[in-house]
Amino acid sequence: MDSWELAALRRLIRTALAVNAGLDLGHILRLIIREAMASVGAGSGAILLYSGAGRVKVKASVGLAPEDIRSLESSQAGSLCPILERLPHGVSPPAYMIVPIICEDHIIGLIVLLASAGPAVTGADSEVREAILSVFAEHAAMAIELEKARSERQSRAAECDAPPRDGDLCDRRCTINLSQVSIMAHELRTPLTSTRAYTQLLLQARLGDISPRQKEALEVIERNILRMARIINDILDMARIREGRLVLTKQVVNLCDVVNSVIQEVTPLADARKIRIEVAVLTDITGTWDKDRIQQVFLNLLDNAIKFTPPEGRIVIRARIVGDFVQAEVSDNGKGISRKKLARIFEPFPNVDIREREPGAGMGLGLSICKGIVEAHGGRIWVESEEGAGSTFFFTLPLGESQSPGES
């Protein structure tokens, strides 16, 4: 590993520690921009966050004059490049790098770095520079998410100081507990994201060559990081649902495309247990839904079906139009669900009692998240099951666009 790569890694660790320490957001963003500049030899830079009406706000900057900041903030987000080219540079022609800051799959801002008069960092190719800067951007995103979560926690704490209305004390306690878990999930995601970023840098041999045995060990680490990330994302989704903050990005969606995409993802798991997946879905069912969220519903239901279906078992996915709704079904010939568990199967954390926990069962957030997503679309979800005879999960979604049914 080159000396500049080691120096960049140390700078990344410094910013990760600052984020995890919960320091002031402004302080963290200034640290990130300074360390990012030093890592790639930039002469000046800024962190820009999108504000309303397509504008940007400079949240931290180094080496930019007040008039430069005013130029950036007065421009439209889509026309930043001409502005950047007019800012003072140490090289000709003007050179700059832009890295997106992404929160929950949305670009919320940018890291902008302008070249200095001196040479670029020796030996630093563009791919490695981009990889390092993307980690700095992830650190900025985590700091912003944590600040937002702390602000929401303070707001909820203020609300809880007011005397409760009759009958809402239990709901309030549940919301408080879930919000505390949500804050903890945000705190866990900070070091986890950094660990994943470093693991990917190592796997891609961007920080030096690795042996086949080291590669195998790193792949095990990455799989477990992704598993932990899914658990954290489930906790955050559940908190958003309970607090009414689940945002749906709706578009016209073909249900058959969603089902095919999910099947492609779960087929290796089903094949490993020799489970057959059959599909009977109308090819032209379309609706105005959040494609990623509906995919998440099918994925959670299929994950459960595969987990509790015996080897060489069978899972069937069906979808049909019923009035103004599409009704989807995921059936399995597994062991079924007891009446006692059926009563609370869509509640969050139904598996908290370790004495009743099924082998391989998770925390039990998946079905509760499915319920929240389906109901946010204006549909409903339910299950029919009999012990020893398998289970069928049903859910409905309102149809938003005209459709012409055809069997697949």
Side-chain angles (χ1 to χ4, degrees), residues 120-244:
V121 180
T122 304
D125 61 67
S126 60
E127 281 192 6
V128 176
R129 281 201 302 269
E130 288 171 10
I132 289 170
L133 291 177
S134 69
V135 180
F136 280 119
E138 286 177 357
H139 290 175
M142 287 185 286
I144 293 162
E145 278 191 313
L146 282 171
E147 180 69 18
K148 182 181 175 184
R150 290 189 194 101
S151 175
E152 289 171 353
R153 177 175 57 181
Q154 289 169 356
S155 298
R156 286 192 292 269
E159 289 173 7
C160 289
D161 285 340
R165 296 188 305 273
D166 291 342
D168 74 349
L169 184 58
C170 181
D171 286 344
R172 181 177 290 184
R173 281 176 181 158
C174 183
T175 302
I176 292 169
N177 290 338
L178 197 54
S179 77
Q180 289 168 343
V181 173
S182 171
I183 295 293
M184 190 167 60
H186 274 288
E187 299 283 357
L188 285 170
R189 192 154 71 169
T190 305
L192 193 69
T193 303
S194 296
T195 305
R196 185 186 176 194
Y198 299 143
T199 303
Q200 288 174 333
L201 287 173
L202 290 167
L203 272 171
Q204 294 161 9
R206 290 179 173 178
L207 300 177
D209 294 336
I210 57 173
S211 68
R213 191 173 177 185
Q214 289 170 329
K215 185 173 183 289
E216 187 178 328
L218 286 167
E219 285 171 347
V220 172
I221 292 170
E222 187 176 42
R223 281 198 298 273
N224 282 282
I225 289 170
L226 291 173
R227 181 170 173 266
M228 179 66 78
R230 282 194 294 271
I231 293 171
I232 290 171
N233 287 335
D234 279 352
I235 292 171
L236 294 173
D237 276 345
M238 194 66 251
R240 292 185 193 104
I241 288 166
R242 291 302 294 260
E243 294 162 11

Side-chain angles (χ1 to χ4, degrees), residues 88-346:
H89 289 71
V91 295
S92 183
Y96 55 85
M97 295 185 74
I98 299 176
V99 184
I101 299 172
I102 301 172
C103 275
E104 298 174 8
D105 299 325
H106 296 288
I107 297 176
I108 62 164
L110 305 166
I111 292 180
V112 175
L113 301 174
L114 306 177
S116 68
V121 180
T122 304
D125 61 67
S126 60
E127 281 192 6
V128 176
R129 281 201 302 269
E130 288 171 10
I132 289 170
L133 291 177
S134 69
V135 180
F136 280 119
E138 286 177 357
H139 290 175
M142 287 185 286
I144 293 162
E145 278 191 313
L146 282 171
E147 180 69 18
K148 182 181 175 184
R150 290 189 194 101
S151 175
E152 289 171 353
R153 177 175 57 181
Q154 289 169 356
S155 298
R156 286 192 292 269
E159 289 173 7
C160 289
D161 285 340
R165 296 188 305 273
D166 291 342
D168 74 349
L169 184 58
C170 181
D171 286 344
R172 181 177 290 184
R173 281 176 181 158
C174 183
T175 302
I176 292 169
N177 290 338
L178 197 54
S179 77
Q180 289 168 343
V181 173
S182 171
I183 295 293
M184 190 167 60
H186 274 288
E187 299 283 357
L188 285 170
R189 192 154 71 169
T190 305
L192 193 69
T193 303
S194 296
T195 305
R196 185 186 176 194
Y198 299 143
T199 303
Q200 288 174 333
L201 287 173
L202 290 167
L203 272 171
Q204 294 161 9
R206 290 179 173 178
L207 300 177
D209 294 336
I210 57 173
S211 68
R213 191 173 177 185
Q214 289 170 329
K215 185 173 183 289
E216 187 178 328
L218 286 167
E219 285 171 347
V220 172
I221 292 170
E222 187 176 42
R223 281 198 298 273
N224 282 282
I225 289 170
L226 291 173
R227 181 170 173 266
M228 179 66 78
R230 282 194 294 271
I231 293 171
I232 290 171
N233 287 335
D234 279 352
I235 292 171
L236 294 173
D237 276 345
M238 194 66 251
R240 292 185 193 104
I241 288 166
R242 291 302 294 260
E243 294 162 11
R245 295 187 296 110
L246 184 69
V247 177
L248 300 179
T249 305
K250 292 186 177 182
Q251 57 182 305
V252 176
V253 177
N254 184 300
L255 195 69
C256 196
D257 292 342
V258 172
V259 171
N260 288 337
S261 176
V262 173
I263 288 174
Q264 199 170 15
E265 191 168 341
V266 302
T267 292
L269 294 173
D271 287 349
R273 293 170 58 82
K274 297 181 180 177
I275 294 171
R276 189 170 76 257
I277 298 179
E278 299 174 5
V279 182
V281 176
L282 299 175
T283 57
D284 294 324
I285 296 177
T286 60
T288 307
W289 310 308
D290 184 319
K291 183 177 181 180
D292 291 337
R293 292 298 187 182
I294 299 307
Q295 193 162 311
Q296 186 178 358
V297 171
F298 274 110
L299 191 57
N300 283 347
L301 295 179
L302 278 169
D303 272 344
N304 271 358
I306 291 169
K307 196 178 295 181
F308 297 110
T309 297
E312 301 185 3
R314 175 172 170 260
I315 295 169
V316 180
I317 304 169
R318 299 182 181 90
R320 60 195 177 95
I321 295 169
V322 180
D324 294 330
F325 290 80
V326 56
Q327 180 174 300
E329 306 170 16
V330 177
S331 302
D332 65 65
N333 63 344
K335 59 189 290 188
I337 306 165
S338 69
R339 236 177 233 188
K340 180 181 176 183
K341 289 182 180 177
L342 273 176
R344 54 191 173 92
I345 197 162
F346 291 109

